[in-house]
């Protein structure tokens, strides 16, 4: 984090999508530093033992006036938009969650009186599409998304940048690599694999043979970032001086392309299970995507003082730990696979 960043303690932070996978980690990152955090969700869906019941608001239906009312009532200093649609949604649903919502949000922010409210919009590496072949993709690269998710996230990014340029909104876009860590939804590749390894562990404990892990072809290489590191980047963007970040896109990732095949086999190895991985082509394919993605993350270190701290083995252990039975051997005890960093370098 930059030396001239404002302190998080005492800030009023509204986290849209605050009960989701990434939103929960962002809420905790701010709360531990003493911020007043207001997670926003359509449903309760949050652990009341943490003492932060969410503000209930259907963001997909809320008008700008309703969003402005929420920001006024919370005295918001910062808004984090971690809401959106990624998995198990069609393009129309993604457009509503990833683009239309952002348009309403920036309209509300533009009409607020008083000091500017910092908006941190969470974008996606999938906005770039193929990016720069065989090299890292920087923020100046012209996006060319090839998926519905990438196209709709790019619309949200452009809404924020346009509002910053034309309407004085204090907005910054963090273009996130694929985020990995504890609590991933089962609709994602890694969350689904973790859930099935949990089922395999329970079968193994009953003395049954674990079923094979059938997956689509694992030919891609992806830039990944730990969910805790992603939350730290959000914190840095929320507290950085406006002159450094307003109206900017900032890549957040590890800056390397990790082969998915090696990562899935590493998950199996860390689980301590003997589960065969079978790659079976989908007919028809469920999605069209690019073979390789890698982000240039130099701007994040320069403007935010941020860089990734956690290794991917730690992320995989965090993802697996909650789904494996308590009596299961400690993660990685039987793993003999090479270190993931070496395998993917």
């Amino acid at each position: 984090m930059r030396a001239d960043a404002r302190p998080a303690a005492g800030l009023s932070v509204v986290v849209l999508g605050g009960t989701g996978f990434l939103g929960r980690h962002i809420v905790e990152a701010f709360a531990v530093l003493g911020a007043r955090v207001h997670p926003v969700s359509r449903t309760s869906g949050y652990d009341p033992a943490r003492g932060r019941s969410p503000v209930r608001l259907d963001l997909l239906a809320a008008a700008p006036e309703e969003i402005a009312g929420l920001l006024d009532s919370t005295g918001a200093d910062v808004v984090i938009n971690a809401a959106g649609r990624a998995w198990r949604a069609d393009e129309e649903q993604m457009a509503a969650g990833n683009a239309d919502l952002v348009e309403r949000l920036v309209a509300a922010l533009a009409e607020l009186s008083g000091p500017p409210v910092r908006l941190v919009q969470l974008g996606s590496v999938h906005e770039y599409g193929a990016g720069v072949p065989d090299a890292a993709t920087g923020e100046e690269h012209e996006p060319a998304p090839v998926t519905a998710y990438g196209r709709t996230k790019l619309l949200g990014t452009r809404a924020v940048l346009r509002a910053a340029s034309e309407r004085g909104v204090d907005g910054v876009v963090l273009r996130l690599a694929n985020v990995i860590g504890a609590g991933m939804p089962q609709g994602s590749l890694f969350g689904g694999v973790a859930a099935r390894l949990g089922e395999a562990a329970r079968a193994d404990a009953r003395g049954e043979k674990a079923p094979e892990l059938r997956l689509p072809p694992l030919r891609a290489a992806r830039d990944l970032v730990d969910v805790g590191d992603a939350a730290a980047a959000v914190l840095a963007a929320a507290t950085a001086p406006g002159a450094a970040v307003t109206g900017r896109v900032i890549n957040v990732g590890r800056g390397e392309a990790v082969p998915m095949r090696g990562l899935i086999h590493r998950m199996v190895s860390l689980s301590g299970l003997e589960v065969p991985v079978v790659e079976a082509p989908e007919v028809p394919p469920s999605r069209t995507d690019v073979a390789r993605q890698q982000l240039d993350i130099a701007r994040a270190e320069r403007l935010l003082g941020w860089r990734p701290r956690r290794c991917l083995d730690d992320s995989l252990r965090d993802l697996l730990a909650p789904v494996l039975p308590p009596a299961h051997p400690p993660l990685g005890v039987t793993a003999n696979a090479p270190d993931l960093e070496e395998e993917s370098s």
Side-chain angles (χ1 to χ4, degrees), residues 156-166 171-173 175 247-249:
T157 288
R158 287 174 171 165
V160 172
L161 299 182
R162 189 168 55 249
S165 173
E166 300 174 2
V172 56
V173 177
R175 196 164 268 162
R248 307 296 292 269
V249 173

Side-chain angles (χ1 to χ4, degrees), residues 21-251:
F21 162 54
L22 185 49
R24 291 195 303 271
H25 289 270
I26 293 169
V27 166
E28 293 303 319
F30 277 95
V32 76
L33 294 179
R36 294 179 290 115
V37 191
H38 312 277
V40 179
S41 173
R42 283 184 293 171
T43 59
S44 54
Y46 203 60
D47 182 1
R50 296 179 183 271
R52 282 184 297 277
S53 297
V55 178
R56 297 190 64 171
L57 180 65
D58 185 351
L59 294 165
L60 297 179
E65 295 78 14
E66 293 177 272
I67 298 173
L70 167 67
L71 302 182
D72 275 335
S73 66
T74 56
D77 300 300
V78 176
V79 178
I80 313 298
N81 185 22
R85 299 296 299 272
W87 299 289
R88 296 175 179 171
D90 59 29
E91 187 153 0
E92 182 178 355
Q93 293 168 322
M94 289 185 185
N98 300 335
D100 297 346
L101 167 61
V102 183
E103 292 280 6
R104 294 195 295 274
L105 175 58
V106 296
L109 287 166
E111 297 302 319
L112 290 177
S113 57
V117 175
R118 169 71 49 81
L119 168 63
V120 182
Q121 165 72 12
L122 303 189
S124 169
V125 62
H126 294 284
E127 297 173 40
Y128 286 125
V132 179
D134 302 320
T137 300
E139 292 87 350
E140 302 306 324
H141 182 80
E142 184 65 27
V146 299
T147 64
Y149 180 66
R151 288 189 292 271
T152 56
K153 289 297 288 184
L154 180 58
L155 291 174
T157 288
R158 287 174 171 165
V160 172
L161 299 182
R162 189 168 55 249
S165 173
E166 300 174 2
R167 307 183 69 179
V169 171
D170 181 11
V172 56
V173 177
L174 298 186
R175 196 164 268 162
L176 300 179
N178 298 274
V179 182
I180 186 169
M184 292 193 75
Q186 291 188 25
S188 67
L189 172 63
F190 302 114
V193 169
R196 290 162 66 182
L197 287 174
E199 294 169 3
R202 288 186 286 274
D204 183 70
R206 296 191 298 267
E208 302 171 4
K209 182 179 179 181
E212 64 186 17
L213 189 59
R214 294 183 65 84
L215 298 170
L218 300 168
R219 294 187 291 263
R222 294 281 179 264
D223 201 328
L224 299 134
V225 64
D226 181 83
V227 67
D229 281 337
V234 172
L235 179 63
T239 56
V245 300
T246 299
R248 307 296 292 269
V249 173
I250 303 174
N251 288 342

